[in-house]
Every structure is written in C-alpha cells, then in structure tokens.
Amino acid sequence: MSMIDPHVSLAALVLDEPRRAELFERLGFDYCCHGESSLASACTEHDLDVDTAIRMLEASTAPSASAPEHDYDCRSASTAELCDHIVESHHERLRLELPRLVETLTTVVRVHGADDPHLSALARVFDELARDLLDHLEREEQVLFPACRALEAGEGLDRQGLLEELEHDHADVGATLPLLRELAGGYDSAAARCSTHRALLDGLQALERDLHRHIHEENNVLFPRIRSRLAA
Ligand SMILES: [Fe+2]
Ligand SMILES: [Fe+2]
C-alpha cells in the first residue's frame, strides 16, 4: 500500500524527499510558487492519473533510481547554513549564468533573429528577468539574510514587509519562466538552429530548474521559518 497521500502539498512532498523535485520538473508541476497545491490537484490540472503519479514518485526515490542532481536537505540546516547554501548554490550560479546567457542570446538573435521572431521576444523578456533577479539577490544578501542570521541569534527583524516584497518578486519570476519556456519552443534542443542555440536552450532549461529549487527553498523553508520566529 502506498505511503504517499495525494492530498499532501507539492512543497511538503519535496521537503520530505528532495529527489522528488526532479520528477515534478519533468511533469511541469510547480512546487515552488504554487507549492501549496496538493498532488491530487496538480494531477487534475495536468490531466494525469493520481495513482500513476504516485507510482512515478515511488520509483523516483527507489534505491535503483539514478543519482539526484540535488539532494540538499534544507530542513535540517540552521537558518545561517540555509542562507549560506542559497548564496553559494543559487545566487553565485545566477551571477555567472545570467550575463553568460544574455550574451549567448544576443549572439543567437544576431545570427538567427530574422528567421525566428520569437528569439527577439525571448531576449527582451530574459533581459528584464536577469536585471530584476540581480537586484533581488542584492536585497536578499544585503538586507534579508543578515536579518535572518540576526534573528536566529535572538535579535528582531525591523523590515517585516521585506518578506512580502521578495515573495512578490518570486511570483513574478514564477510567472515569467513559463513564458520564457514557451518563447524558446519548450527548450527542445532538437529544434536548435546551431550549436550556440542548442547551448542556449540547455542553459535556459538548467537555469529554470535551479530557480524552481531556489525559490522553493526560500518560499517554503526559509520564509516560513522566519515568520514563525517573528510570531513566537
Ligand atoms: Fe535567493
Ligand atoms: Fe529570492
């Protein structure tokens, strides 16, 4: 008999077993910005039989399953450790990848833009996302994370509205990612026009997966933890 309850939220399923995130990526289930959705409702939305989804979830964590890309267990980390992990694993990656992908996109638009009008739109949307994200990282690192560390050490948090602002940014990113995916033809590298275009599609897809993980760790672990400390 299955141990997975279909009424449990997507975020809780990933928190219990981080390896489940890989399957949710493949199924297109949003476990970060809409992590409160239950497995059953995500299945209904994606027209997938819930028992099939449960079998896939069980297989994804079976001992024979392939090694996961991510298996960081953020629940067992202290708040300071979690902030360090987010900066080292996600923010530093974004600071490297965003300018690199902007540059690659510029090249691809220059070479293939006339044949594919979606490429210019993709570049415009991605440029704006990259700018917004870099600003967002600064606010987290300069204001929120120091405040989280101070809160863990027993101090107060004087910018309570900041959590809402940052969550709002996450929702904007969460709404932009499907648009980028659509403009990029679902990141289907078989449809790439050249090797640079293929590298761009692979890079954008990897960035999307990492942003889902990153926002999940903030929205579903760090921010609730900070709110519960403030309420205590
Ligand atoms: Fe972040
Ligand atoms: Fe964030």
Side-chain angles (χ1 to χ4, degrees), residues 47-108:
D47 203 15
L48 178 70
D49 172 59
V50 75
D51 291 329
T52 304
I54 288 173
R55 277 197 298 278
M56 291 168 93
L57 278 167
E58 287 167 343
S60 72
T61 55
S64 58
S66 57
E69 196 181 328
H70 302 279
D71 59 359
Y72 182 74
D73 181 7
C74 31
R75 280 198 303 194
S76 60
S78 71
T79 297
E81 285 167 348
L82 183 55
C83 292
D84 289 344
H85 161 78
I86 289 170
V87 172
E88 287 160 17
S89 301
H90 304 298
H91 290 196
E92 287 178 7
R93 177 178 181 157
L94 282 170
R95 287 199 177 93
L96 286 174
E97 282 296 282
L98 291 169
R100 189 185 74 79
L101 289 168
V102 165
E103 200 181 311
T104 310
L105 241 172
T106 306
T107 306
V108 173

Side-chain angles (χ1 to χ4, degrees), residues 91 136 140 166 170 214-215 218 223:
H91 290 196
H136 178 88
E140 287 183 340
L166 294 168
H170 292 166
H214 176 181
I215 293 174
E218 291 175 353
F223 292 9

Side-chain angles (χ1 to χ4, degrees), residues 173-186:
V173 174
T176 303
L177 290 174
L179 174 62
L180 285 175
R181 173 174 276 277
E182 192 186 327
L183 290 169

